[in-house]
Amino acid sequence: MKRHAYRGTSFDIPANKKFRKQCGEYDSLIQFEECCHRALIKRYNEEKGKDHSLSFKLFTKKIATGTKVNLGFFDFDNYENSLYASYIIYPYGAFDCFIQDIIKDLKDFKINIKIDKQKGKGTKLSQLLKQLRKRGIDVRIEQFKIDLFEYYRLRRNSVAHMLPETTYISSFYKSVKSRHVVSETYPNQPNALTSYDKMTFDDFVVCTANLNIISDIITRTIEKNINWKKIGKSHPYWINYKKINAICSFEKQKKIDFVRKVIEGRYGVELSDELCESFL
């Protein structure tokens, strides 16, 4: 299914495009790492089948020596939990950048948002949604997606800042209550939300998919509240008026077509002649 089909619109904003691109590139890197990891496990099982006394610790040391990698301290008992938890650090860092970028994009739509960095003011996402609501932009995100966002956010903070399990246990159990809905929304990831102390690759997949959907819901909701005429009359900086006059001279229709092309390239939508004319 093409992206436009399930989104119901071709509208997009620079912040969402950037976030989706960053996540896509990082997903590919992690998928590569996971391919290597699974190949390594497969090889270990094959060698252990021939030598039942071979421990995973000795096997990895052998591999490290062969690849000339200095393998230091390694928690062999529960290493996958730490490995997969580390995978979600970058996506949340990228999402923080998305929040900053979307605030800049909103200014282009004459919508001013400010995030308070003081503790106790809520997450950047909750503040953004709250301030948008005050401005008549009601972004409706299903509660289980918000719960997932919060659990993986706290899980990410725990591994990034070496915080205890108590940081995220309650949020894990809150998400588990909706596990059947999570499975329906993000299918083919049966091992997600298995246990608070056992993250899996499926958790990474669900985490990044959830972040992408949340950013996209926000983007699509914003479109419904854009006053293109008001933006046009403000003569936005991203319209090169000198270029319009140089290329189109005094031909009005050419100017309108030029504006339409710029808007379509930036936001993915094709405006009517009337709306395009408001930019001139």
Side-chain angles (χ1 to χ4, degrees):
M1 182 185 292
K2 291 185 177 180
R3 188 165 176 262
H4 174 78
Y6 73 80
R7 294 181 81 241
T9 179
S10 57
F11 174 79
D12 217 338
I13 55 176
N16 197 40
K17 291 178 185 178
K18 176 184 173 183
F19 177 65
R20 191 170 64 252
K21 183 176 184 294
Q22 288 177 328
C23 282
E25 291 173 347
Y26 183 72
D27 283 355
S28 295
L29 176 62
I30 294 302
Q31 288 159 4
F32 171 75
E33 287 189 30
E34 184 61 13
C35 285
C36 296
H37 174 241
R38 293 185 184 187
L40 186 72
I41 296 301
K42 182 181 179 182
R43 180 175 169 183
Y44 168 63
N45 290 330
E46 289 172 350
E47 293 195 18
K48 188 174 176 61
K50 299 174 184 177
D51 179 6
H52 298 300
S53 65
L54 180 65
S55 68
F56 189 56
K57 183 174 183 178
L58 288 175
F59 171 74
T60 52
K61 282 189 175 182
K62 173 186 171 183
I63 294 296
T65 301
T67 55
K68 297 181 180 179
V69 174
N70 183 20
L71 183 63
F73 175 76
F74 194 61
D75 182 2
F76 296 91
D77 294 328
N78 198 21
Y79 79 92
E80 286 185 326
N81 180 53
S82 299
L83 176 67
Y84 294 131
S86 70
Y87 284 177
I88 66 175
I89 292 177
Y90 180 85
Y92 270 90
F95 192 84
D96 280 348
C97 290
F98 164 74
I99 297 290
Q100 296 172 10
D101 291 339
I102 201 172
I103 290 174
K104 294 177 183 176
D105 288 346
L106 286 168
K107 287 182 179 179
D108 292 340
F109 299 132
K110 307 307 172 185
I111 303 170
N112 294 315
I113 300 291
K114 186 177 181 181
I115 300 297
D116 195 332
K117 296 181 181 180
Q118 291 184 10
K119 288 185 178 180
K121 297 295 183 178
T123 64
K124 293 178 181 178
L125 174 61
S126 64
Q127 288 189 59
L128 174 65
L129 298 179
K130 185 178 180 180
Q131 291 199 42
L132 285 173
R133 198 173 299 115
K134 286 181 179 179
R135 289 157 179 78
I137 304 174
D138 189 12
V139 181
R140 298 188 179 185
I141 303 173
E142 293 162 286
Q143 187 58 48
F144 81 90
K145 291 174 183 174
I146 294 294
D147 293 341
L148 269 181
F149 174 89
E150 187 63 8
Y151 163 58
Y152 287 126
R153 183 186 72 83
L154 293 174
R155 192 68 179 81
R156 175 262 181 199
N157 287 351
S158 175
V159 68
H161 304 295
M162 301 181 71
L163 301 176
E165 292 179 342
T166 51
T167 305
Y168 55 84
I169 288 180
S170 61
S171 63
F172 168 79
Y173 284 116
K174 192 173 182 179
S175 285
V176 165
K177 291 179 181 178
S178 302
R179 193 177 181 188
H180 65 290
V181 185
V182 173
S183 297
E184 291 174 359
T185 308
Y186 308 111
N188 305 317
Q189 313 303 327
N191 295 317
L193 299 175
T194 300
S195 172
Y196 71 84
D197 62 349
K198 186 181 179 182
M199 283 203 76
T200 66
F201 184 70
D202 286 359
D203 279 298
F204 166 74
V205 175
V206 170
C207 171
T208 54
N210 194 56
L211 290 175
N212 271 284
I213 282 185
I214 288 175
S215 70
D216 209 46
I217 291 173
I218 295 171
T219 299
R220 283 181 279 145
T221 306
I222 288 170
E223 180 189 14
K224 301 171 186 176
N225 295 270
I226 297 175
N227 186 330
W228 289 108
K229 281 191 175 182
K230 181 179 179 181
I231 296 168
K233 290 177 180 178
S234 70
H235 286 66
Y237 70 91
W238 42 269
I239 295 286
N240 190 335
Y241 288 96
K242 288 184 178 180
K243 190 173 182 179
I244 290 178
N245 293 326
I247 295 177
C248 304
S249 186
F250 297 102
E251 296 184 56
K252 185 177 181 181
Q253 188 58 49
K254 280 190 176 181
K255 290 182 178 181
I256 288 174
D257 292 340
F258 185 97
V259 169
R260 181 184 291 110
K261 188 175 181 180
V262 172
I263 294 172
E264 186 175 7
R266 185 176 176 84
Y267 295 112
V269 291
E270 186 175 322
L271 301 186
S272 66
D273 280 9
E274 180 187 357
L275 289 176
C276 290
E277 189 175 352
S278 66
F279 283 78
L280 299 177

